[in-house]
Amino acid sequence: MSLSGKIAFRYLFSKKSHSAINVISMVSVSGVAIATMALVCTLSVFNGFQNLVASLFCSFDPELKVSVVEGKTFNANNEKINALRKMPEIAVFSEIVEDNALVRYKDRQVTATLMGVSDNFSKLTHIDSILYDGKFVLADSLVSYATVGAGLSLSLGVGANFVEPLEIYAPKREGKVSMANPASAFNTDYAYVTAIFSVNQAKYDESTIIVPISLARKLFQYTNEVTSIELKLKPNTDIDDVKSKIARALGPQFKVADRYEQQEEAFKMMKIEKWMTFLILCFVLMIATFNIIGSLSMLIIEKKADIATLRSLGADNQLISRIFLFEGWMISAIGAIVGIVLGLLLCVAQESFGLLRMGGNMGAFVVDTYPVKVVCTDLMTILGVVFTIGFLSAWYPVKSLKNKYLSETRQNN
């Protein structure tokens, strides 16, 4: 440790003539520690919610999704797509046809997103893990079946294995509308509900119906067209590398999205909320570091005689300034380390014992307690912010020391 660091260390922990300075120093450390702990816990909770939402989407969204940049559909049998089928990294290749349709059950009708999927859809996603009623089946030799989102099933008043089928209407792509018989402008088909799923996301639960791709193509008058290709990769495959490889092979007219990009709006909003909260807590940290300014200012006043002695022993202004600058850094560093440790302990306790609960009845939410996930980059960011604010709060009184006390000492000498 340098000479200035040793003197600053002694000043920090030695007994002062005025006990108020010791009290203010402890308050400074406590304020920085509490603000740092709040930052660690808050960012970890946001990470936990993001991880929770990602896990919910993982049950429904594919690892990679290929769609066109312009337009709605593309031919699934073109040369580039056929080459994609043969890529060794791909475990499941599934064709999807998705569009809006009118769905009717008895006297109720709603507009829904009809999602026609290939027979291997159950291998592509963890559909069975999000079913809470019925069994996932697409079709048999006689009829087509539908798997309906939980919110949509309530709107229609339908459940798994109900006797009457859903009536599904899609507007014809060609031809004129007859005012005498408007129903002739729609293609109509039927599907029996065999299962209800819930992803706990309104985007899917309130509007999605999963049906065989043959039924969707018939309704929307498609042959080999698809709206997207959904892919599952083989285990231990680097998703980013395969994503880049597919994007290069397909060209700029296709878009390849991973799970986060498929739900870009949701995750972007969560990130904005996370960092806005981070900025608010940084302002709280700035207020807490005002105590450092007060502590150093009082210490400089008390050590005025020591400053004169150090100058008589040959200390220059730079050495004396570093002493008090190190003092402010030590207060920030101790507070930051204590805050990080306390924050990590609280996160571990929350994860292990669920100290902070969501409120309401058990099972009312997806999880009963606040989820947490500690990310190392967040800890490094917090430390960087705390040290930066601590440096600025120590720099101000040291600047005043240079401008006033050191000049006075120099004049007296």
Side-chain angles (χ1 to χ4, degrees):
M1 186 182 293
S2 63
L3 177 60
S4 55
K6 290 179 180 178
I7 297 175
F9 185 83
R10 183 173 180 82
Y11 279 173
L12 180 61
F13 293 102
S14 64
K15 185 177 181 181
K16 283 78 172 178
S17 59
H18 297 86
S19 59
I21 300 177
N22 288 327
V23 173
I24 294 176
S25 297
M26 291 301 299
V27 170
S28 301
V29 172
S30 300
V32 174
I34 292 173
T36 304
M37 179 185 67
L39 284 168
V40 173
C41 293
T42 302
L43 294 189
S44 297
V45 168
F46 272 103
N47 293 333
F49 275 115
Q50 184 172 334
N51 195 50
L52 174 64
V53 172
S55 67
L56 294 175
F57 281 129
C58 285
S59 300
F60 198 85
D61 290 338
E63 292 181 330
L64 291 176
K65 183 176 182 178
V66 178
S67 57
V68 285
V69 175
E70 295 182 357
K72 182 184 293 185
T73 63
F74 58 95
N75 192 335
N77 291 329
N78 65 42
E79 184 179 349
K80 291 182 178 180
I81 300 301
N82 287 330
L84 178 62
R85 297 174 190 268
K86 301 175 183 178
M87 286 184 62
E89 297 89 348
I90 296 176
V92 179
F93 180 102
S94 184
E95 299 178 1
I96 305 294
V97 172
E98 188 174 349
D99 210 335
N100 294 327
L102 179 67
V103 181
R104 181 179 176 185
Y105 185 75
K106 294 184 178 179
D107 58 342
R108 299 187 184 185
Q109 61 183 28
V110 296
T111 301
T113 300
L114 196 69
M115 185 175 179
V117 301
S118 301
D119 294 338
N120 59 357
F121 185 74
S122 59
K123 298 178 181 179
L124 178 76
T125 62
H126 304 287
I127 185 68
D128 290 335
S129 66
I130 58 176
L131 298 181
Y132 75 86
D133 189 16
K135 182 179 180 181
F136 179 73
V137 181
L138 286 175
D140 58 24
S141 58
L142 297 176
V143 296
S144 299
Y145 298 111
T147 300
V148 182
L152 187 58
S153 70
L154 292 176
S155 299
L156 290 170
V158 66
N161 300 315
F162 275 29
V163 175
E164 296 185 34
L166 297 177
E167 300 176 28
I168 307 174
Y169 300 88
K172 292 180 179 179
R173 299 171 60 200
E174 299 176 355
K176 296 181 180 180
V177 177
S178 172
M179 299 304 295
N181 183 20
S184 63
F186 291 86
N187 294 319
T188 307
D189 214 323
Y190 303 88
Y192 290 85
V193 178
T194 59
I196 307 296
F197 74 88
S198 175
V199 192
N200 292 295
Q201 297 295 324
K203 176 180 179 180
Y204 295 128
D205 293 349
E206 301 292 335
S207 62
T208 301
I209 299 178
I210 303 173
V211 297
I213 193 171
S214 57
L215 174 63
R217 280 176 170 159
K218 179 181 177 182
L219 283 167
F220 300 128
Q221 296 178 294
Y222 294 142
T223 53
N224 295 322
E225 294 91 344
V226 295
T227 56
S228 64
I229 297 293
E230 297 187 349
L231 307 172
K232 181 179 180 180
L233 305 183
K234 292 182 179 178
N236 302 320
T237 302
D238 190 301
I239 294 179
D240 292 332
D241 288 345
V242 176
K243 175 185 169 184
S244 301
K245 181 178 178 181
I246 294 174
R248 288 193 301 269
L250 295 179
Q253 66 269 33
F254 287 93
K255 177 175 64 176
V256 185
D258 58 26
R259 282 186 173 129
Y260 285 95
E261 291 170 334
Q262 292 168 46
Q263 306 297 336
E264 185 176 6
E265 293 182 1
F267 288 113
K268 185 180 291 185
M269 183 60 64
M270 293 185 69
K271 285 184 178 180
I272 292 173
E273 292 173 349
K274 172 183 174 180
W275 294 114
M276 286 299 295
T277 305
F278 176 78
L279 289 177
I280 293 172
L281 290 176
C282 284
F283 282 114
V284 175
L285 178 63
M286 290 175 62
I287 296 172
T289 55
F290 286 162
N291 292 316
I292 298 177
I293 298 175
S295 176
L296 285 180
S297 299
M298 294 183 67
L299 183 64
I300 289 170
I301 295 172
E302 182 181 271
K303 300 300 181 181
K304 189 175 180 180
D306 288 4
I307 293 173
T309 302
L310 288 170
R311 285 192 58 85
S312 300
L313 294 173
D316 56 11
N317 291 349
Q318 188 175 6
L319 175 62
I320 296 172
S321 298
R322 282 203 304 267
I323 292 172
F324 295 99
L325 200 58
F326 272 120
E327 179 94 4
W329 284 350
M330 286 182 184
I331 293 174
S332 299
I334 294 172
I337 293 171
V338 172
I340 291 287
V341 172
L342 291 177
L344 291 175
L345 290 175
L346 281 177
C347 289
V348 171
Q350 174 67 16
E351 188 174 8
S352 302
F353 306 107
L355 303 178
L356 190 61
R357 297 190 172 274
M358 298 289 290
N361 298 326
M362 293 289 289
F365 299 95
V366 179
V367 290
D368 296 321
T369 61
Y370 282 88
V372 292
K373 180 184 179 183
V374 179
V375 178
C376 292
T377 53
D378 287 349
L379 298 182
M380 299 303 295
T381 302
I382 292 169
L383 284 174
V385 169
V386 173
F387 286 146
T388 301
I389 295 176
F391 170 78
L392 294 176
S393 62
W395 173 80
Y396 178 78
V398 170
K399 180 183 178 183
S400 300
L401 170 69
K402 280 185 176 181
N403 296 336
K404 183 177 181 181
Y405 293 107
L406 293 183
S407 60
E408 288 180 359
T409 306
R410 185 165 52 249
Q411 291 172 3
N412 293 335
N413 289 340

